[in-house]
Structures are given as C-alpha cells and as structure tokens.
Amino acid sequence: MEFKDPVVIDPTGRDIHGEAARIRERGPVAPVELPHGVPAWAVSSPALLRRLLADPRVSKDARRHWPRWIEGEVSPDWPLFTWVAVQNMFTAYGDDHKRLRGLVAKAFTARRTAAMRPRVEAITGALLDRVAEAGADGQVVDLREEFCYPLPIQVIGELLGLPEEQGPELRAVVDGVFHTSADPAEVADTYARFYAAMHQLVATKRASPGDDLTSALIGAHEDDGSHLSEQELLDTLVLMISAGHETTVNLLDNAVHALLTHPDQLALVRAGQASWDDVIEETLRVEAPVASLPLRYAVTDLELGELGGPEGAVIHAGEAILAAYAAAGRDPEHHGADADVFDVTRPGMDHLAFGYGAHHCLGAPLGRLEARVALPALFDRFPGLALAAAPGDLEPVDSFISHGHVSLPVRLG
C-alpha cells in the first residue's frame, strides 16, 4: 500500500468518534499520522484486526521490529514514548512475551482477582456514601472525580499493596502517561516520577513482603529459575497501574453517561429485560475505554488479502500498526447500520476492547468485576441520578488513547 494523505490523529482526542469514522471511510486499513509525524496503519475492520492481533508475524517489540526505534528516530520527548519504551509483556514478542506473561500470570491469578470482590464492594459502598454527602441538598457532584476514578485506583492500589500515601502521586503520573498532547518537559517529568514511585514500592515490598501482587511478582519464577529482571519488574508495575485503572475509570464513566443519556436503555435494565453484563459489554463496544492502542509492527511483509483484508494491500516489514478499537467497535459492516447506537439488547455485542490473542488483557476479569459491582450499586442507591450538564458540553479527556470525560457532573435526584 502507498502511504499517502494520512488521517492526522488529533493528539488531544477532541473528536474520537468523528476521527474513527474518517479512518473507516478510508477502508479497513488506513494511513494515519501520529504525534511528531510518526506514520502508522490504523486497522478498523474487526475481522482483520482480530486476525492481525493473533498473527505471530505481528510484533509489539520496537527494539526488534520497528526501524524508527532501532535507528534512534524516536526521542524520549515523544508523547507515546512510554508506550513503546517499557520492557514488559505489553511490548514483548514471541518467547519473551510467553515468559513474561507466564510469570505475571503466576502472580495475577483468577483466585486473587475473585478474592478482591469483598473489597470492591466495601470500597464501592464507602465511595457512594461520599457521593451522597457531596450531593446533599441538590448539589452537583462530579461522579468521575468522586466515584469512577477513586474506585479503580483504590482497587489496584490494594491489589499491588501500594502505600495509601502514594495514591495521589500515582494518579498524577498515570494521567501523564495518557496525556498524548503533552509537551517534552511533561513527558520527561512523568517518566521520572513514575519510575521513582515504582522503585520506592519495590524497595518497600522487598523489605516487608505481603500478600499482594507486587510481592508475588518479586517472588514469581519459572521452573527453570527465571524471574523478572529489575527493569521488567518495574515496567510490569507501570503497566498494571496505568492499564489496570484507566480502562476501568473510562468503562464506569462511559457506562454511566450512556445510561443517563439513554433512559430507555436504563429502563430495560431495571425491568429485567437486559442485564448489567449487557450494559458493560455494550459500553465496551460502543465506547471503547481505549480508543486506539499503540503500537504493533509487521515482522515480515503482510499480504492483507490472505487475512481477509483488501486484495493486493501489503503492510511492509517494519511498518507500524495502530489497533483502532473505537473505530472497530462501531464498524457498520460488522455491527450493522446502527453500530453507533447504544443498545443493551443488541444480539451481537462482541468487541475488542480488551484486545485479542496473545496480548489479550490479563486484567479484563478485574475490570468487569469492578463494573459489575459498581454500576448496579450506584443506580440502586440513586434511582433519580441525572446529568447536570448537556451531553454535548462534557469535555473529553485530553488523549487519543484514553476515551472518557474530564468530568461527569450529576445530581442525585
């Protein structure tokens, strides 16, 4: 394929769905320009994207398979630098990925996730009490600030054994990682502060291990004695803290917004004609918490016709690939002419919001658990919940990756 007239990605994410529509208009694979003029191919066809995500000829390891990185053309002031520079299972390929994911899976077990439910319920209850107090006498409450954000950060903090006093600092640096229009000084500051916090956490847990995921990661090893290197350990914690809470914040935010702007859909749930699982999966489809995920790279030339894509189209070895999840979630060829409509009774809600294949998100069960607890608890506690601003006035977060709102003002009714 010839790379020309790319869709220029707005790093501020002002119009995620408008941009996604423009990408789809260019076909299942479209040329896009990322911040700093970095070229990539955005894949928006769910079927093709699923095949590429599972194809061993597609890598996430920039050090091995992205010439721009190998040749030093990607500088540390690039807003997406952390997404590419980390050394963990997120950016690993082949046997390295298998090893790293295996080590993390030994620590991040289904049992550990399931055991978090009582704490998720307790944190949810405490936060709803705080929301009730803030919203007394008809006061407007920022539900993202008071509920959607603190719930996941407290859950991931307890899971990892983070000292409570580190919470505000971690929130600030995670926001920085997702700030895709950041200037060079902010990028450097975020990177340094995040790793300083992780060094502190690891030192604390080495000195005093506990029944937490950080201690388990420090102690995880394979039968052959291999374990996470120091850099892999730090980068795995970076991944879990950033991905482990931002996606759930946006899932909760987007689900609440969708239900409040579609009262007929909320009525179906309350009448038992749809479940909270339906709400969660339809939200993940139509309002993907991660709109686009950087980056993957073609290991060899990829003949897309062989993968069900356009005949004659080729993504050449070393070219970057952007997983366009927001565009794929609303693809009309896959989801029908009403693909952009929030419908909790939709017969086919399949989506790629948590990825697919070898890199499918290990934390997906935890994110779903939090939503399954939080959403019904919120709407049961406040049956008269209503937006306190026109939907069109709600500002999106400053990111083309993270998809949610800066604030979610509500009245409790």
Side-chain angles (χ1 to χ4, degrees), residues 117-132:
R117 186 179 187 99
R119 285 302 300 146
V120 173
E121 292 171 344
I123 294 168
T124 297
L127 290 173
L128 290 178
D129 289 343
R130 194 169 84 181
V131 169

Side-chain angles (χ1 to χ4, degrees), residues 187-261:
V187 173
D189 181 62
T190 295
Y191 194 79
R193 289 168 62 189
F194 211 156
Y195 281 93
M198 293 305 94
H199 276 291
Q200 179 182 341
L201 173 62
V202 169
T204 298
K205 292 302 170 182
R206 281 209 170 102
S208 181
D211 183 19
D212 55 69
L213 186 53
T214 303
S215 299
L217 287 169
I218 292 171
H221 60 83
E222 296 285 17
D223 293 338
D224 63 2
S226 63
H227 60 277
L228 295 172
S229 70
E230 192 70 8
Q231 190 63 50
E232 290 168 345
L233 173 61
L234 294 170
D235 286 350
T236 296
L237 291 170
V238 167
L239 170 64
M240 290 189 156
I241 292 170
S242 53
H245 100 275
E246 183 76 12
T247 51
T248 308
V249 173
N250 290 339
L251 169 56
L252 295 174
D253 173 346
N254 292 334
V256 172
H257 179 266
L259 290 170
L260 294 183
T261 54

